[in-house]
Amino acid sequence: IFQAMGCKCIKLVGHEADDLMASVGKWARSRGLNVVHVSSDKDMLQLVDNGMHVMIPKAKEMIGVDEVVKKYGIFPQLFCEYQAIMGDQADNIPGVMGVGAVTAVALLNHFKSIDNMFTTLGLIGLAPPPPEMLQPRANWAQLSRHLEVLLGSEFYQSTALMEVGKAVKGLKGIRASTVLSKLYVCGYDNLLLYRRLVTLKDDLDLKEILHDSYGQESYDEAHKLLVERGVLTEDAVKRLVTAATGTGDDLKSSFFRYTGEQEHVVQYLQVIHPHLLKALRILREQYHRLERTI
């Protein structure tokens, strides 16, 4: 359907669409472009920054940094940590048993990351709790006493319990000892796994698909040829790619009208770069958000 509408479509075998979107978004941001991901997938919110937004199509809502903070209470860079703690039923990620959104946000705003939280609380490398303390359901009081023995009473009381207490202070009905035990039961390694599962891959190798779909190599080579070699100024390139429509005559006309370049320069470029016309169309797409200067 999208192809019939004239939209460019790309795919990468063996990778999910959200990972491809994340990688293309990163590629575009590295070139100074603003990005809007159209998706109802909550995982996409981890990508949001000042130049990258997510549009929820059904709600017709544009999500930026402020919207993430307002809705979830955390900045987008902590969203993977938040999802790891909360879990995701759709992806069979259990998260930390019994820890809800309010507590997860409080913990992250205090500790800033899962790694710092578990390091501060001394929960890395501990032996798992005895199975009988978890069956038929978790005995949190017993687990708290067991954890105090593992950590040592002094560290448990003066550091671990105190730090969790600071994080959840003011939360009605939330006991610091129970939260600490829930983190212990979940375990550091499990939370790292959950975080990895919810984190989108933004480092896929896009060279082949962008070359096929968007002329990646043509774009890079043309920009280097036109600007870095001093053939044209950056401003002249912007003027040219705004005006160029893809035919030889239009290309020459664009040079004459908007850059003042002579015909021999056009001929030189056409000879040295056989894909120049295609590259100029790519350049124009890259600059389409810039204010027209003609």
Side-chain angles (χ1 to χ4, degrees):
I1 295 177
F2 278 101
Q3 288 177 328
M5 293 171 61
C7 299
K8 293 185 177 179
C9 300
I10 57 177
K11 62 181 179 179
L12 194 59
V13 177
H15 296 282
E16 296 186 6
D18 51 5
D19 292 331
L20 185 53
M21 292 171 70
S23 297
V24 172
K26 182 179 179 180
W27 174 88
R29 290 292 293 132
S30 70
R31 284 156 174 78
L33 298 176
N34 291 325
V35 176
V36 176
H37 292 293
V38 181
S39 174
S40 57
D41 188 346
K42 189 169 63 175
D43 291 349
M44 303 301 292
L45 298 182
Q46 65 189 258
L47 305 175
V48 170
D49 63 23
N50 290 331
M52 189 176 297
H53 293 69
V54 174
M55 174 178 276
I56 310 299
K58 187 174 182 179
K60 297 181 181 179
E61 181 182 9
M62 187 73 76
I63 305 295
V65 174
D66 291 342
E67 288 75 19
V68 173
V69 174
K70 182 178 179 180
K71 184 172 183 178
Y72 294 97
I74 54 171
F75 285 94
Q77 57 264 37
L78 287 176
F79 204 76
C80 291
E81 315 274 331
Y82 171 80
Q83 287 183 290
I85 295 173
M86 286 291 296
D88 190 333
Q89 289 185 343
D91 293 328
N92 294 317
I93 298 173
V96 180
M97 178 176 56
V99 171
V102 173
T103 304
V105 169
L107 290 171
L108 288 174
N109 283 331
H110 181 73
F111 292 105
K112 306 306 180 186
S113 72
I114 289 171
D115 304 276
N116 184 56
M117 178 168 63
F118 272 72
T119 299
T120 301
L121 301 179
L123 298 180
I124 298 178
L126 295 180
E132 59 268 21
M133 293 186 183
L134 301 174
Q135 300 295 333
R137 60 183 180 179
N139 186 325
W140 297 117
Q142 191 176 7
L143 283 163
S144 295
R145 291 192 293 270
H146 177 74
L147 182 57
E148 184 173 1
V149 172
L150 289 179
L151 293 178
S153 183
E154 182 179 353
F155 181 85
Y156 178 85
Q157 294 290 341
S158 64
T159 300
L161 200 59
M162 184 179 67
E163 288 298 327
V164 175
K166 291 178 181 178
V168 301
K169 184 178 180 180
L171 300 185
K172 187 176 180 179
I174 303 298
R175 294 175 58 89
S177 59
T178 302
V179 173
L180 184 58
S181 295
K182 289 177 178 179
L183 293 173
Y184 163 58
V185 169
C186 178
Y188 180 60
D189 290 340
N190 284 330
L191 265 184
L192 293 186
L193 172 62
Y194 303 158
R195 184 175 64 186
R196 189 175 78 247
L197 292 174
V198 300
T199 300
L200 300 180
K201 298 176 182 178
D202 63 0
D203 57 354
L204 300 182
D205 186 0
L206 304 176
K207 184 177 180 180
E208 181 178 349
I209 60 173
L210 287 180
H211 174 63
D212 292 341
S213 301
Y214 290 96
Q216 163 71 23
E217 294 180 358
S218 296
Y219 167 74
D220 289 340
E221 292 177 15
H223 195 279
K224 183 176 181 180
L225 175 67
L226 295 173
V227 179
E228 294 180 14
R229 294 187 185 180
V231 176
L232 292 175
T233 64
E234 184 79 32
D235 182 64
V237 172
K238 294 176 184 178
R239 292 173 179 268
L240 175 63
V241 298
T242 300
T245 58
T247 67
D249 291 339
D250 289 334
L251 177 61
K252 293 179 182 180
S253 175
S254 299
F255 265 104
F256 294 150
R257 183 176 178 185
Y258 299 115
T259 70
E261 300 294 340
Q262 301 301 310
E263 186 172 0
H264 73 274
V265 176
V266 181
Q267 294 172 343
Y268 164 74
L269 292 175
Q270 288 175 318
V271 170
I272 197 172
H273 197 293
H275 302 297
L276 179 62
L277 296 180
K278 178 181 178 181
L280 288 173
R281 288 194 293 272
I282 303 305
L283 279 168
R284 186 172 70 169
E285 291 179 9
Q286 300 302 319
Y287 287 117
H288 77 283
R289 291 183 179 274
L290 295 175
E291 182 178 359
R292 290 180 179 269
T293 57
I294 59 173

